Amino acid sequence: MLLGQYNSLTIIRFTDHGAYLDGGEVGEILMPKAYVKDEMRPGDIVRVFVYLDQQERLVGTTETPLGRVGEFACLRCSWVNEYGAFLDWGLMKDLFVPFREQKRRMEVGQYYVVRIYIDDATHRIVATAKVERYLQPATREQVRPRQEVSLMVQHRTDLGYKVIVENQYAGMIFFSETNKPLGMGHLLRGYISRVRPDGKLDISLQPLGIDRYRDFADTLWEELLQAGGKLPFCDNSPAEAIADRFGVSKKTFKRAVGTLYKAGKITLLPDSIARKR
């Protein structure tokens, strides 16, 4: 039996309170009467989400939560007390976020991207807004350019939108990749355009050709700005070095350099490119 997950459990018996399910080593688990159907019988297997009720007892529900343990979710703050905030995650009992797990004090009615987990000390299902510590650096063994991936918008930045990729990696959608605003918690599909050296991912919202990266000149310009106005790459740079750094072919890189040079944005140096002052 997994807490904070869906489980397929066998009905043992019925009482006025509901149906009791076989939880194995943890004992019987109540499925409240509100979720019991007339056609259910002892021995039937039901699929329920298992969590803790107000009295910290294991219960099973046929309701669908807005997130499970181990997942990120965008949830609305329902109420706040002296211990922390409580988020509506689609179940009868709200999801608790201690003050220590908030980036800033949560406010009723506002939405927040959180990670759902089981607290080691209390064994309760809780959430944290400090999601970055759960984002892993990606490697080329785990992901590849042009791979289609699931995305959740985390928040807007000066360069674009930070996104959570495949529920485990940090990514960025630059403004050049979208022609409409993206809201916090927005779920969408995208494509990996580059695996950065630090393990973060650049994301395109359009499929990418085998040797053609859409709007790479814009991406290269953003990279140049982030690097302080200078990048140690030029026409003589090895194709392997360009691919490792930017995830594109040398042909694509040179075309983007040409585009920025013609636009008067960069200066070509013997061993690098620099922002034109």
Side-chain angles (χ1 to χ4, degrees), residues 232-242 250 253-254 269-272:
F233 293 90
C234 62
D235 280 355
N236 295 325
S237 296
E240 295 79 8
I242 291 173
K250 187 169 182 177
F253 173 79
K254 291 177 68 174
L269 303 174
D271 59 353
S272 60

Side-chain angles (χ1 to χ4, degrees), residues 161-191:
Y161 298 92
K162 281 191 174 183
V163 292
I164 298 170
V165 183
E166 290 293 310
N167 199 52
Q168 57 185 322
Y169 308 119
M172 172 70 77
I173 301 174
F174 291 105
F175 288 130
S176 60
E177 286 292 339
T178 179
N179 56 9
K180 62 180 181 181
L182 299 176
M184 178 190 296
H186 190 165
L187 301 177
L188 64 162
R189 306 290 295 182
Y191 302 85

